[in-house]
Amino acid sequence: MADAIDVEHMARALQLAANGLYDTAPNPAVGCVLVKDARVVGTGWTAPAGGPHAEIVALKAAGAAARGATAYVTLEPCCHTGRTGPCTKALIAAGISRVVFAGRDPNPRVNGGGAAELEAAGVAVEGGVMEQEAEPLNRGFFTRMRRGVPYVRSKLAVSLDGRTALANGASKWITSAAARSDVHRWRARSSAVVTGSGTIVDDDPSLDARRDEAQIPEAIGIKQPLRVVIDARLKMPPSAKTLSLPGEVLVLTTRALDDPKAEALRAAGARIDRIAGDAEHCDLRAVIEHLGTLDINDVWVEAGAGLNGALLEAGLVDELIIYMAPRVFGSTARGMFELPALESLADDYPVSFDDVRTIGADLRITARVSRVAGA
């Protein structure tokens, strides 16, 4: 049974796991602490995909001291061969005597199999230690494993009265520099940043994750998220700023792939995938499912009221991240979601507040959406 010592070391493993939030996808971010005779003999966190998992990094750091140690891991150790070998076999070979993990790995290739293999080899195993605290680290990975689609967060920067821009479209900048820095950290930990063609045409955003603005230390690895533009009619110009930046840009369209506009965007560096839909709109459910097939864990949406409203109405938004500035724009300013008129309060889109905190001069509200398809 877990005790205060187990919780202490698992808390340290969770801190280590957070170091991998920006570069381990599509793998989960995992941390590991090896303890022997009340002394930490090895630590590690998962390297970028293709590199060693947290357990392997910690075992290498510990060397011979790993024999007889307890391993604290933030996710059930894997028992299959993917880009790397199974961590269970490495833990057994190193002589680990006990493994304590937070939550089961929902990957069907693991999902209890890792724990079973360790127990069969005589290793004492305990799961569920700080499982609730560990879950947010890999919410996107868990969602993709369980539902086959990524976890979708929609970011909105709004005034106190819920307005995203003035009537003339002016919106830079509603929120503080501290809030914008926080957005860059969220971009960096997301597998994909998604927007609509209207936002590209109107605002020409970069959509990249910038280390300096995110204030992520140089010792922490980051990789650019896939930048996804939903663009049924191929309105995106080849001169769009995001196409000139490091990282991959994916344009999803209902047009033929040999359309001259598609060819022009490809020449500018974009990847073009055809998606279900009609001449005017991509099927948003097909968009999210397609991103799941690309091993996208976390989607970060930065878009206008049209796309945000359509995603919400379709039950495709899991979480809202709302940055609320201490200013009022009035009723003529633009709102957050374009949605059909509600006939009853019972027809609303309920949310639950997970977290409310101050970021610079603003509030950051994290709200889980109750009406989610397939959840």
Side-chain angles (χ1 to χ4, degrees), residues 24-375:
T24 62
N27 291 340
V30 179
C32 180
V33 174
L34 303 181
V35 179
K36 182 178 181 180
D37 299 328
R39 184 173 66 89
V40 174
V41 296
T43 63
W45 65 87
T46 299
H53 291 187
E55 298 94 320
I56 307 305
V57 176
L59 288 172
K60 183 177 180 180
R67 185 160 298 278
T70 294
Y72 294 90
V73 194
T74 58
L75 188 67
E76 177 187 8
C78 68
C79 55
H80 67 282
T81 299
R83 292 185 178 95
T84 62
C87 291
T88 49
K89 293 192 183 306
L91 291 166
I92 293 165
I96 293 293
S97 63
R98 180 173 179 244
V99 171
V100 180
F101 65 87
R104 279 194 175 187
D105 186 341
N107 186 336
R109 301 177 71 184
V110 185
N111 198 15
E117 185 172 313
L118 290 167
E119 288 176 331
V123 179
V125 177
E126 181 167 356
V129 177
M130 297 190 73
E131 182 175 6
Q132 186 173 352
E133 291 83 355
E135 192 270 343
L137 281 169
N138 293 300
R139 198 165 272 162
F141 174 78
F142 293 160
T143 299
R144 182 168 64 84
M145 288 295 112
R146 292 166 180 157
R147 289 166 31 203
V149 294
Y151 190 83
V152 179
R153 296 179 175 91
S154 185
K155 166 259 178 182
L156 299 115
V158 304
S159 62
L160 186 62
D161 52 344
R163 304 295 173 166
T164 61
L166 301 183
N168 63 10
S171 63
K172 292 184 179 179
W173 297 103
I174 294 175
T175 53
S176 65
R180 298 196 295 276
S181 177
D182 195 61
V183 168
H184 276 279
R185 285 190 289 276
W186 276 108
R187 285 184 186 176
R189 66 177 288 180
S190 300
S191 306
V193 175
V194 172
T195 195
S197 57
T199 297
I200 293 291
V201 171
D202 293 343
D203 299 334
D204 197 21
S206 298
L207 300 177
D208 60 339
R210 296 191 281 278
R211 182 189 293 275
D212 54 345
E213 293 198 38
Q215 298 177 4
I216 297 172
E218 289 290 339
I220 303 300
I222 69 170
K223 65 178 181 181
Q224 287 298 323
L226 176 68
R227 300 192 290 277
V228 180
V229 182
I230 302 173
D231 189 3
R233 292 180 288 170
L234 294 177
K235 294 164 52 181
M236 179 180 183
S239 60
K241 184 191 302 180
T242 193
L243 289 170
S244 67
L245 301 171
E248 187 179 6
V249 177
L250 170 63
V251 178
L252 299 177
T253 183
T254 59
R255 294 283 185 97
L257 295 181
D258 60 356
D259 186 293
K261 291 182 178 179
E263 293 176 352
L265 287 170
R266 269 195 297 270
R271 169 182 167 181
I272 314 293
D273 284 0
R274 194 175 186 187
I275 207 79
D278 55 37
E280 297 294 320
H281 300 98
C282 294
D283 182 316
L284 294 180
R285 189 175 306 281
V287 166
I288 300 303
E289 290 175 353
H290 184 63
L291 294 179
T293 68
L294 299 180
D295 290 342
I296 298 296
N297 291 339
D298 298 89
V299 165
W300 179 256
V301 178
E302 293 194 27
L307 180 53
N308 273 309
L311 287 167
L312 189 67
E313 184 182 7
L316 298 173
V317 177
D318 294 284
E319 191 171 87
L320 301 174
I321 308 289
I322 301 171
Y323 297 88
M324 181 171 284
R327 53 206 309 181
V328 174
F329 291 168
S331 61
T332 62
R334 301 181 183 183
M336 299 164 68
F337 304 99
E338 289 181 7
L339 290 164
L342 302 181
E343 299 297 328
S344 165
L345 289 176
D347 297 330
D348 71 344
Y349 298 83
V351 302
S352 57
F353 290 156
D354 267 8
D355 182 70
V356 179
R357 67 180 64 191
T358 301
I359 303 288
D362 310 309
L363 289 180
R364 188 188 73 191
I365 301 170
T366 303
R368 299 282 289 274
V369 179
S370 299
R371 192 188 299 181
V372 177

